[in-house]
Amino acid sequence: MSEAGALTGMRILLGCFKLGGRPLFKLVLLPVITYFFLFRHQARRASMAYLQRMKAAGAIPVNAPIFWLSARHFWNFANALIDKLAVWMGQIPRSQVEIHNDELIADLHARKQGAVMVISHLGNFEICRCLSSRHQNLRLTVLMHTRHAEKFNRLMKEHAGNSQLDIIQVTEITPGTAMMLSERIERGEFIAIAGDRVAVNKPENALLVDFMGATAPLPMGPFTLAAILRAPLISLFCLREERGFHIYFDRLSDAVQVPRRSRQAHLQQLAQAYATQLEGHCRRQPLQWFNFFDFWQLPTPESGDAKGTGQHRAP
């Protein structure tokens, strides 16, 4: 979904943030988020359907009103945008960030072993910019589809300081892209790619997993990329908890090297392991998962989904 609003309006919001900090920014942003909550019906319905699943799973009190929880869901998304601006402007100190299982990254970095990191739309990945202050010379390349938010990303880059984080716009992994990423892995750098949103141009390249008690599609890309690059696969989640941020690292696999005949089954196993971790974090912070669409949409009989392959073709 393309972003709404002009770049001038975004600059005004940024000016409010610089002038009055979070209080003024939130005051100005409140009517904006209220408008989107009331009039973006598809996004609101998707939010409420997701929260209903979380309630059924016991992650939300059964007496909690879904409508107002959805409003808070939108508001949490707005606050995540504030955090995104703040971290790019260097206003979130390292003391506010706690890293769990950081020794995993320290060991790989010390051995100059690159890895593929599977990130998500849960929480605020940009907080990981603080890793460069934790591990000197650690470089992180983020592969993401940014064309739907070019104005916002342009605004952030204008106000970003020096960073070891490199964002690359991709819609598919071409041979040239794979070669470039392979060279970065060989230099001991890290590649990050989202694991909770199927490819924009090829939604059929997905794996079906069990997620929150139902079948859902996950992108095949992150897991295939690790196999192609023969790199370790690590999950990364960053959540706002209490008054700070928590970064969680977990190893999904050592260097992914499997025979071609069993690759599909291995990729399916990795995707399910990631889905289980994602569900666990969503249960802890349900209002911080920012996928405002029908995540559980399944293929129709006419979609040509191949039985037994784990692939999904969007209707």
Side-chain angles (χ1 to χ4, degrees):
M1 182 182 296
S2 299
E3 62 190 342
L7 185 60
T8 300
M10 296 181 186
R11 293 188 191 279
I12 292 174
L13 285 172
L14 179 62
C16 293
F17 180 74
K18 289 181 175 181
L19 181 64
R22 289 177 182 269
L24 180 58
F25 191 96
K26 288 182 179 181
L27 181 63
V28 176
L29 193 59
L30 179 59
V32 178
I33 293 300
T34 300
Y35 171 84
F36 278 98
F37 174 70
L38 293 177
F39 295 102
R40 284 293 179 97
H41 306 293
Q42 183 178 356
R44 188 179 69 247
R45 284 194 299 267
S47 168
M48 294 175 69
Y50 156 68
L51 293 171
Q52 192 65 54
R53 288 181 183 272
M54 297 303 292
K55 179 183 286 191
I60 294 175
V62 293
N63 59 346
I66 292 296
F67 185 84
W68 294 114
L69 277 177
S70 181
R72 288 179 56 195
H73 193 197
F74 274 68
W75 183 240
N76 273 21
F77 177 67
N79 278 272
L81 295 180
I82 300 174
D83 292 334
K84 197 183 296 278
L85 287 171
V87 71
W88 276 81
M89 295 172 66
Q91 296 188 16
I92 295 182
R94 172 65 184 83
S95 58
Q96 291 185 12
V97 182
E98 182 175 348
I99 303 176
H100 303 265
N101 204 13
D102 188 42
E103 59 273 12
L104 174 60
I105 302 303
D107 176 64
L108 291 171
H109 189 48
R111 293 189 287 111
K112 295 185 178 180
Q113 170 65 68
V116 174
M117 293 182 175
V118 192
I119 59 178
S120 70
H121 293 82
L122 175 71
N124 202 335
F125 168 75
E126 277 77 7
I127 302 299
C128 291
R129 289 190 72 222
C130 73
L131 290 174
S132 60
S133 62
R134 177 83 167 188
H135 304 289
Q136 294 298 318
N137 301 318
L138 184 151
R139 295 203 62 87
L140 180 62
T141 298
V142 185
L143 306 179
M144 61 173 57
H145 181 78
T146 59
R147 289 179 182 172
H148 65 294
E150 289 180 340
K151 298 172 186 175
F152 185 78
N153 284 290
R154 175 182 167 187
L155 189 64
M156 286 196 301
K157 288 181 180 180
E158 289 178 0
H159 297 274
N162 295 327
S163 175
Q164 299 286 67
L165 187 150
D166 183 19
I167 296 179
I168 298 180
Q169 152 70 28
V170 294
T171 53
E172 63 179 339
I173 303 296
T174 65
T177 306
M179 184 177 297
M180 178 267 291
L181 297 177
S182 178
E183 292 173 352
R184 296 194 180 197
I185 289 289
E186 290 176 0
R187 292 197 299 263
E189 299 181 16
F190 294 82
I191 310 296
I193 181 172
D196 64 342
R197 192 170 292 181
V198 296
V200 174
N201 61 328
K202 292 185 177 180
E204 69 273 14
N205 291 341
L207 298 163
L208 299 183
V209 298
D210 179 55
F211 183 61
M212 295 184 189
T215 302
L218 290 186
M220 189 182 297
F223 314 103
T224 304
L225 181 63
I228 293 174
L229 300 179
R230 297 184 177 182
L233 188 64
I234 298 168
S235 65
L236 189 165
F237 298 96
C238 183
L239 304 173
R240 172 180 275 279
E241 299 183 46
E242 298 175 349
R243 295 188 177 181
F245 300 89
H246 290 251
I247 298 175
Y248 297 90
F249 291 109
D250 277 295
R251 187 190 301 273
L252 287 169
S253 175
D254 292 323
V256 180
Q257 301 184 45
V258 294
R260 183 175 296 274
R261 64 180 179 274
S262 58
R263 176 176 291 183
Q264 183 68 29
H266 188 67
L267 296 181
Q268 183 73 40
Q269 181 182 6
L270 291 176
Q272 184 59 64
Y274 169 76
T276 301
Q277 291 184 5
L278 176 62
E279 177 175 341
H281 288 293
C282 282
R283 286 174 176 269
R284 292 174 49 245
Q285 297 292 339
L287 299 183
Q288 292 189 38
W289 193 47
F290 305 127
N291 272 333
F292 294 93
F293 61 94
D294 184 5
F295 188 81
W296 285 264
Q297 185 177 8
L298 295 177
T300 63
E302 294 78 18
S303 64
D305 182 53
K307 294 182 180 179
T309 64
Q311 293 187 353
H312 161 81
R313 183 178 296 275

